[in-house]
Each structure stands twice: as C-alpha cells, then as structure tokens.
Amino acid sequence: VTVRNGPGADYTFLTVLPEGVVAQATGRNVEEAWIQIALDDVSDGMGWVFSTQVELNIPIAELPVVDSP
C-alpha cells in the first residue's frame, strides 16, 4: 500500500507498507477516500493511504475527520 504525506495522489510519496502490515488509523478525510495512519518511520509520524487499499476493523465514518496538511 502506497503511503503519502497527504490525502491525495498529488501529495509526496513516503513509503510502501507491505501486505499484512498493521497500522493504527488515526483519521480520515471528509470524502472518506483517504485514511490517516500513524507511521513511526516518517518525520511527523503520520501518513495517508487510499481507503480502498486497506481493511479497517471499524466503520470509516467512526474515524475523526482530519484536515489536509
């Protein structure tokens, strides 16, 4: 799964999470298309993944809306 520094393909690429890696979801964008995750190996500790590429254990609507960087 590609991780970016904001909720969109135009944001900077940060890293790739291999299949099966578990990350904590910390928020979402208003459109529920992107999910913010906690990520230890980047400077601000956060990254964004496209919502259809991950599996959540809660409904996406339960995540708080986070402003874009």
Side-chain angles (χ1 to χ4, degrees):
V1 174
T2 300
V3 182
R4 299 191 174 275
N5 72 339
D10 293 335
Y11 284 88
T12 303
F13 167 86
L14 295 176
T15 190
V16 171
L17 293 181
E19 186 175 337
V21 169
V22 176
Q24 179 183 0
T26 56
R28 64 178 171 89
N29 69 342
V30 170
E31 297 85 5
E32 298 183 354
W34 291 83
I35 298 169
Q36 185 185 59
I37 60 170
L39 199 59
D40 291 335
D41 57 350
V42 297
S43 62
D44 69 354
M46 297 292 168
W48 291 81
V49 294
F50 196 59
S51 64
T52 61
Q53 296 179 335
V54 296
E55 184 177 315
L56 294 173
N57 59 3
I58 63 169
I60 192 171
E62 290 185 18
L63 293 170
V65 174
V66 178
D67 291 331
S68 300

